[in-house]
Amino acid sequence: MRNLRLNSDSRRAARGDRAGALIRTGRILSRLGYLDEQFCQVEDLQDEASPNFAEEVATLFFKDSARLISNVEQALEKYPKDFNRWDAYMQQLKGSCSSIGASRMKSECMSFRDYCGQGNVEGCMRSFHKVKREHGALRQKLEAYFQLLRQAGPAGAATRPGM
Amino acid sequence: MASRKGLGDEGSAPVPHVLAVDDSPVDRAVIAGILRSSRFRVTAVESGKRALELLGTEPNVSMIITDYWMPEMTGYELLKKVKESSRLKEIPVVIMSSENVPTRINRCLEEGAEDFLLKPVRPADVSRLCSRVLR
């Protein structure tokens, strides 16, 4: 009986640890500016019919944004100083970032577009590098966050951190 | 194309069917999710061309919500085609855009758009809009 109680206590402690990790991860993502209120709006659309809606949208985002980043990369290579074209491609990526609440990535996209407006090639290249870096960082952090959510289960979803 | 059935009970009024048009898969998913959470039946397509094909076969679309900037056919061009059609012109059309360009907004409203929403679209925006347009 004592062993059962210990096992039960251990399980409770583990759930508590996971819930705590989930809350800390969520707050970090928000406090560091990776995600804004729009992500909360997406998470709030989850219900019994679509319990993993936010993760599904995130998956769509990373697939689509990888394609859009590739478009920009090819445009930078094939169409030198074609700022209108570069801007048009980046506008699509920026829009996608807005829709999921990827605020740091969006900020770098806007920076790139500003440099396009100035006709500043070096500035465009620098900010594009930052866009890619933010993209990678966000993917890592969101994957960790959703993994924690899965581990926490329905109870964890109920204690999902408000961002 | 993603479709979600309405949740109306048998015998009750039909659930409004909203056609969402956006070339961005992320935006399509989000707008479909917002509409679904408001208990609408949703069909989401990726282009104006697909939207017109669907409108040709689906008799009961209650509202169209479309992105402005899309390749091949913009939301404005889709709006014009809908309003030029005697069969489709009564369907309310809402335009979405990430850019706040007054001339663009006015042009759409003058062409008969019901409303113009700025992206990212929020559930509260859609809820207010649908309450006004559909109920």
Side-chain angles (χ1 to χ4, degrees), chain A residues 136-147:
Chain A
L138 180 63
R139 182 197 283 270
Q140 243 183 351
K141 291 180 188 329
L142 269 179
E143 279 173 358
Y145 176 66
F146 286 123
Q147 188 170 18

Side-chain angles (χ1 to χ4, degrees), chain B residues 42-61:
Chain B
V42 186
T43 302
V45 298
E46 73 279 10
S47 68
K49 181 182 168 193
R50 285 290 293 121
L52 289 172
E53 284 170 5
L54 184 110
L55 288 165
T57 58
E58 171 64 56
N60 295 316
V61 169

Side-chain angles (χ1 to χ4, degrees), chain B:
Chain B
M1 176 166 44
S3 180
R4 299 282 185 272
K5 296 292 183 190
L7 300 177
D9 293 329
E10 203 175 308
S12 63
V15 175
H17 180 196
V18 181
L19 174 60
V21 191
D22 203 311
D23 62 310
S24 161
V26 178
D27 288 351
R28 267 202 312 280
V30 171
I31 192 69
I34 292 174
L35 289 165
R36 176 177 49 80
S37 73
S38 299
R39 301 289 186 256
F40 296 118
R41 183 179 155 217
V42 186
T43 302
V45 298
E46 73 279 10
S47 68
K49 181 182 168 193
R50 285 290 293 121
L52 289 172
E53 284 170 5
L54 184 110
L55 288 165
T57 58
E58 171 64 56
N60 295 316
V61 169
S62 310
M63 187 174 81
I64 300 166
I65 181 161
T66 177
D67 187 30
Y68 183 89
W69 270 125
M70 294 185 290
E72 295 178 8
M73 185 188 297
T74 65
Y76 175 72
E77 288 161 347
L78 173 61
L79 164 69
K80 280 186 69 173
K81 288 199 183 292
V82 168
K83 294 304 171 186
E84 284 164 4
S85 160
S86 55
R87 194 172 59 82
L88 303 174
K89 64 182 179 182
E90 297 304 322
I91 302 175
V93 180
V94 174
I95 311 283
M96 304 179 284
S97 178
S98 56
E99 293 177 310
N100 187 354
V101 180
T103 49
R104 178 186 298 175
I105 296 171
N106 289 335
R107 194 165 69 129
C108 290
L109 295 175
E110 281 165 11
E111 198 60 45
E114 198 66 36
D115 210 332
F116 196 103
L117 298 181
L118 282 178
K119 287 181 168 184
V121 174
R122 305 275 159 99
D125 300 330
V126 174
S127 180
R128 255 194 315 271
L129 170 73
C130 291
S131 294
R132 183 165 54 82
V133 174
L134 296 177
R135 291 173 179 154

